[in-house]
Amino acid sequence: EVRSHKSQKRQFNTSSSHMTIMPAWVIDRYGSNSVLRYTKNAAFPIINYPNEVIIQVHAAGLNPIDVSMRGGYGAASMAMKRDPLNVKQSGSEFPLILGRDVSGVIMECGLDVAPVYFKEGDEVWAAIPPWKQGSLAEFVVLSANEVSKKPKCLSHTEAAAIPYVAATAWSALVNTGGLTMDNCAKKRILILGGSGGVRTFSIQMLKAWGAHVTVTCSQNAERLVRGLGADHVVDYTAGPVEGPLRALEKFDLVLDNVGGATESWALGLLKPWCGAKYVTLVTPFLQNTDRLGVADGMLQTGVTVAAKALKHLTKGVHYRWGMFAPNGLALDDISEMVDAGKICAVVEAEFSFSQVPQAMLKVEKGHARGKTVVTVP
Ligand code: NDP
């Protein structure tokens, strides 16, 4: 069924105004992998604003958040983003399309976009915000400021392995952590968890900017992270990492991809009273809003983060939460770094469009050593 749509696609006119449906993998309710459904009849995306573009998807990258969203994670906050006035019925997000990374070709541009920023036929990549329909479909509509020209040296499959983790790393390290290409030289950075998507990207960007990078990961991931440039590797499967890390020179920034108990000791690894920061990507923000509702959840989140930031400020270090944020401009810079050979795509597994459930299971199993990508015919 998945393959047979190919011939149908060729009959389409290049203008989206002729199309009303497209093939996609959707979910109609939250749950386990069995809720994934292939359909040829998903609604074709529509340009609603002059700054939007429609992209024909060539490859879709998967992230742990796709598995979490399949199960309903973040549903309350996403519903508020999609429908701020709360006029729609609950469940109006279905059929929901997952997939947060896209590499593809611009198929149609809003009036404000062409020809200044993009034009039809441009090869582009983007990280798709979780409140928008995703890339496990033949087409996706995005704001032009979320989109960037894809690196020329990468295939679509390789390109789809980068945007979401890159935008997350950029948000955490640059916007929250204050690191830039110009202030990174010789800074000591610790990445807790070094072998997944966010970290394999972060290691490369930080090394390209001249930082000294220490990572924790499983022993069998050491070759991968050293190959990406990590200077020092601590095996977390050999025992608690706190002791070996305490024995090292203190750090200017800790990026925490692991969460949980790490918060109780990782801030002690920072250089005190010189602007050093701990940035964690593992935050209870969406759990709070799912559990308490958007207003109370946001209040709870604000109180929690403010209390923690204040507590650590008195010890001379900064405590911050990192969040994914869509960022086409950052992707422009990253695209240049990729084409300059400073960052490579780490594709661990590639699946065809008919194998989306298997691809989701791969991500769900964890122990990632790079990214899982679905090619879209
Ligand atoms: P991945 O699934 O790609 O990677 C997870 C990696 O962590 C695996 O390689 C795993 O390998 C390793 N790992 C697990 N436990 C530990 C540990 N205790 N110490 C060291 N390594 C460990 O995840 P991503 O890179 O995409 O995401 C990383 C984290 O960031 C996730 O927790 C995710 O939820 C979060 N995130 C948050 C975002 C936000 O907006 N706040 C956005 C994106 C991601 P192994 O188990 O074999 O050691």
Side-chain angles (χ1 to χ4, degrees):
E1 194 189 19
V2 178
R3 283 194 208 98
S4 65
H5 79 273
K6 251 180 156 176
S7 54
Q8 189 188 347
K9 182 171 83 182
R10 294 219 177 83
Q11 289 162 18
F12 286 149
N13 188 295
T14 49
S15 164
S16 69
S17 56
H18 293 258
M19 303 186 204
T20 53
I21 55 169
M22 65 172 178
W25 282 90
V26 299
I27 61 169
D28 306 298
R29 61 191 154 83
Y30 297 118
S32 64
N33 224 29
S34 59
V35 299
L36 285 165
R37 173 172 69 89
Y38 174 76
T39 175
K40 288 181 186 170
N41 300 326
F44 196 90
I46 296 168
I47 290 189
N48 281 314
Y49 300 98
N51 72 333
E52 289 183 328
V53 296
I54 294 177
I55 299 169
Q56 179 166 23
V57 181
H58 283 233
L62 298 185
N63 289 270
I65 193 170
D66 290 308
V67 175
S68 309
M69 282 179 67
R70 190 199 66 202
Y73 171 78
S77 312
M78 300 312 155
M80 196 198 69
K81 273 298 265 185
R82 292 183 195 111
D83 177 25
L85 299 178
N86 199 17
V87 291
K88 293 185 187 160
Q89 281 182 339
S90 104
S92 61
E93 68 268 40
F94 301 122
L96 185 67
I97 302 174
L98 302 170
R100 306 269 64 93
D101 283 304
V102 56
S103 181
V105 174
I106 297 266
M107 191 245 183
E108 190 169 336
C109 295
L111 291 176
D112 287 355
V113 178
V116 184
Y117 300 104
F118 299 104
K119 58 183 186 322
E120 281 174 29
D122 282 349
E123 295 201 316
V124 292
W125 63 346
I128 304 174
W131 53 91
K132 294 194 173 179
Q133 288 289 48
S135 52
L136 288 175
E138 200 167 21
F139 296 90
V140 64
V141 64
L142 290 174
S143 302
N145 58 2
E146 293 159 350
V147 177
S148 160
K149 299 256 175 77
K150 150 188 171 296
K152 292 185 184 57
C153 69
L154 296 187
S155 66
H156 284 293
T157 303
E158 291 168 322
I162 293 181
Y164 193 79
V165 290
T168 302
W170 192 278
S171 169
L173 295 170
V174 178
N175 301 343
T176 307
L179 300 178
T180 67
M181 185 196 305
D182 302 320
N183 71 7
C184 243
K186 302 217 168 56
K187 281 220 165 99
R188 288 181 52 78
I189 315 292
L190 169 63
I191 301 178
L192 292 170
S195 49
V198 174
R199 321 93 205 266
T200 49
F201 175 82
S202 304
I203 295 168
Q204 297 187 79
M205 185 174 83
L206 292 168
K207 286 311 298 173
W209 288 354
H212 181 281
V213 180
T214 300
V215 303
T216 63
C217 65
S218 305
Q219 199 232 332
N220 66 10
E222 176 165 352
R223 234 176 106 195
L224 168 71
V225 298
R226 283 216 188 265
L228 296 172
D231 298 287
H232 191 82
V233 179
V234 177
D235 171 13
Y236 85 93
T237 57
V241 291
E242 184 185 349
L245 291 172
R246 274 195 196 284
L248 302 175
E249 191 187 326
K250 288 201 185 296
F251 295 92
D252 297 284
L253 187 139
V254 174
L255 176 66
D256 189 352
N257 297 284
V258 175
T262 51
E263 245 186 65
S264 60
W265 49 263
L267 284 105
L269 305 173
L270 291 169
K271 296 175 184 168
W273 305 112
C274 53
K277 294 185 184 75
Y278 165 89
V279 183
T280 180
L281 283 170
V282 187
T283 77
F285 173 56
L286 292 177
Q287 282 102 316
N288 282 347
T289 52
D290 285 342
R291 194 168 49 89
L292 303 169
V294 173
D296 288 354
M298 283 172 84
L299 189 67
Q300 168 83 59
T301 300
V303 170
T304 307
V305 75
K308 288 186 179 190
L310 209 60
K311 175 179 143 197
H312 293 294
L313 206 55
T314 60
K315 296 178 190 161
V317 293
H318 297 275
Y319 174 94
R320 299 269 191 277
W321 284 0
M323 297 277 178
F324 161 81
N327 190 340
L329 287 177
L331 286 180
D332 287 347
D333 287 353
I334 292 159
S335 188
E336 278 178 26
M337 291 169 81
V338 172
D339 276 333
K342 294 176 179 166
I343 290 178
C344 66
V346 185
V347 179
E348 183 189 9
E350 186 180 336
F351 291 87
S352 68
F353 199 49
S354 59
Q355 294 174 314
V356 164
Q358 289 96 310
M360 288 287 269
L361 278 181
K362 161 82 185 85
V363 178
E364 192 166 8
K365 278 190 185 140
H367 307 297
R369 297 288 179 267
K371 299 294 300 175
T372 295
V373 179
V374 173
T375 49
V376 181

